[in-house]
Amino acid sequence: MEIPSNTTEKSTSNVKDLRDREPTYHTTDAEYTLPNDTIEYARLRDQAIGLDEMMHNKSVHAPLANPQQIVDVGCGTGIITRQLGEKYTNARVYGIDLSPVPAGQTPPNVEFILGDIRKLIGSHPRLGIESTDFVFSRLLVLGMTDWQGYVKDMMSIVRPGGWVEMQDLVIELYLHGSHCSGDWEWRKAIYASADKRGWDLHCGKNIKRYMEEAGLEDIVVKEYRMPFGTWLAGEKPETRRIGEHTAREYGMLYYHAIPKMLQGMGYTKERLEEFQASCLKDLTGRDGLEGRFYVTIGRKSDQK
């Protein structure tokens, strides 16, 4: 499935303006630290296009045949939800998010549901036990505090023989193949906060284990290189757009996320500003800098 990439929508203006930005956030008790404003929605759309191209226009990796119901968890702008609805016209497709999904052209078989998926299971008429053929989620790394419970819950709503697909990353970076972010002070701080809050900042790698523990079968993991900048595009042209995106967006993304991620950790305003300045410097696109993006799929056994 291919997301049209000729969009002219951009999520940034200049660095000074974005430093002065005052993001808005989800008005829930969920531990999700990224904004829900128009700038973030534009960034999410551009990111989705870049990831789609990086994966050779293969947004979904699970071998779906004729699904009758699909659930997209944490659907954000709804771009993948709508895409799923266009491809699987015989399926009812439900996008779940903590904030209302921005308006857009939506296939008739797509519906958006506001709320926390784990609270909706069993209480929403469309989200009962073994009601769904396919559950999809992407980039919940900064919003999920109980991965084991989440994966088990997603398995519970999938019918026997159905698939679960989770796409996520690890918050660590490499420079010319060697781990380079271990000594970054701002990263150490958010890892300490993650330990306190229950985030798994290595979830991209760990989802395979969570699926195994939940009892899913036929688990497959696909790892993608996600560069910061266009330096890898000569070898892998499919990485150009995501490389442009990460180099342009991720520094400012974490710049605004750091104060929210470090709430309650006892840092002064001055120390938080130091972390923000270091973050912008460390996440500037440069030759050899890259992260890893993981796609993990698992099937629920046909046997009850």
Side-chain angles (χ1 to χ4, degrees), residues 225-246:
R225 296 172 68 184
M226 195 166 77
F228 280 61
T230 59
W231 58 271
L232 190 58
E235 175 187 345
K236 293 180 175 293
E238 68 274 13
T239 65
R240 178 174 296 278
R241 180 144 186 168
I242 195 62
E244 291 172 344
H245 176 88
T246 53

Side-chain angles (χ1 to χ4, degrees), residues 196-261:
K196 182 177 179 180
R197 295 172 185 248
W199 295 321
D200 179 1
L201 302 187
H202 287 85
C203 63
K205 288 181 179 178
N206 292 336
I207 288 171
K208 177 178 184 290
R209 172 167 56 85
Y210 298 145
M211 286 189 176
E212 291 171 342
E213 292 170 351
L216 290 168
E217 301 177 351
D218 299 331
I219 298 170
V220 177
V221 180
K222 174 71 174 177
E223 178 181 323
Y224 293 91
R225 296 172 68 184
M226 195 166 77
F228 280 61
T230 59
W231 58 271
L232 190 58
E235 175 187 345
K236 293 180 175 293
E238 68 274 13
T239 65
R240 178 174 296 278
R241 180 144 186 168
I242 195 62
E244 291 172 344
H245 176 88
T246 53
R248 182 182 66 244
E249 303 286 352
Y250 272 38
M252 196 57 66
L253 179 70
Y254 281 97
Y255 177 91
H256 286 293
I258 280 172
K260 191 170 177 64
M261 294 176 74

Side-chain angles (χ1 to χ4, degrees), residues 276-290:
Q276 289 175 302
S278 297
C279 166
L280 288 178
K281 176 178 67 69
D282 292 333
L283 295 182
T284 299
R286 56 187 184 273
D287 285 358
L289 185 65
E290 63 183 304

Side-chain angles (χ1 to χ4, degrees), residues 69-266:
Q69 179 164 308
I70 294 172
V71 173
D72 178 12
V73 180
C75 65
T77 63
I79 188 170
I80 298 297
T81 321
R82 295 181 174 105
Q83 190 182 33
L84 289 165
E86 290 171 355
K87 180 169 184 178
Y88 300 103
T89 56
N90 292 328
R92 293 297 305 171
V93 182
Y94 299 98
I96 318 294
D97 203 80
L98 297 171
S99 288
V101 174
Q105 187 172 355
T106 302
N109 59 330
V110 169
E111 178 182 337
F112 295 107
I113 300 171
L114 181 66
D116 183 332
I117 181 63
R118 299 192 66 194
K119 296 178 181 178
L120 291 169
I121 291 175
S123 64
H124 192 281
R126 299 290 184 255
L127 299 172
I129 302 302
E130 296 189 349
S131 61
T132 298
D133 299 294
F134 178 53
V135 173
F136 176 91
S137 65
R138 175 186 285 176
L139 291 175
L140 300 185
V141 59
L142 295 180
M144 187 59 60
T145 57
D146 177 15
W147 275 97
Q148 290 94 335
Y150 168 66
V151 175
K152 288 178 181 177
D153 282 350
M154 295 309 98
M155 178 179 172
S156 76
I157 65 171
V158 172
R159 298 183 179 115
W163 289 88
V164 176
E165 177 165 341
M166 297 179 179
Q167 302 183 0
D168 231 299
L169 44 73
V170 172
I171 300 184
E172 62 182 16
L173 292 178
Y174 302 84
L175 188 63
H176 302 299
S178 298
H179 185 208
C180 67
S181 56
D183 293 331
W184 295 351
E185 292 300 320
W186 65 269
R187 180 183 172 278
K188 290 180 182 178
I190 65 172
Y191 264 73
S193 181
D195 288 342
K196 182 177 179 180
R197 295 172 185 248
W199 295 321
D200 179 1
L201 302 187
H202 287 85
C203 63
K205 288 181 179 178
N206 292 336
I207 288 171
K208 177 178 184 290
R209 172 167 56 85
Y210 298 145
M211 286 189 176
E212 291 171 342
E213 292 170 351
L216 290 168
E217 301 177 351
D218 299 331
I219 298 170
V220 177
V221 180
K222 174 71 174 177
E223 178 181 323
Y224 293 91
R225 296 172 68 184
M226 195 166 77
F228 280 61
T230 59
W231 58 271
L232 190 58
E235 175 187 345
K236 293 180 175 293
E238 68 274 13
T239 65
R240 178 174 296 278
R241 180 144 186 168
I242 195 62
E244 291 172 344
H245 176 88
T246 53
R248 182 182 66 244
E249 303 286 352
Y250 272 38
M252 196 57 66
L253 179 70
Y254 281 97
Y255 177 91
H256 286 293
I258 280 172
K260 191 170 177 64
M261 294 176 74
L262 298 182
Q263 283 179 349
M265 297 298 289

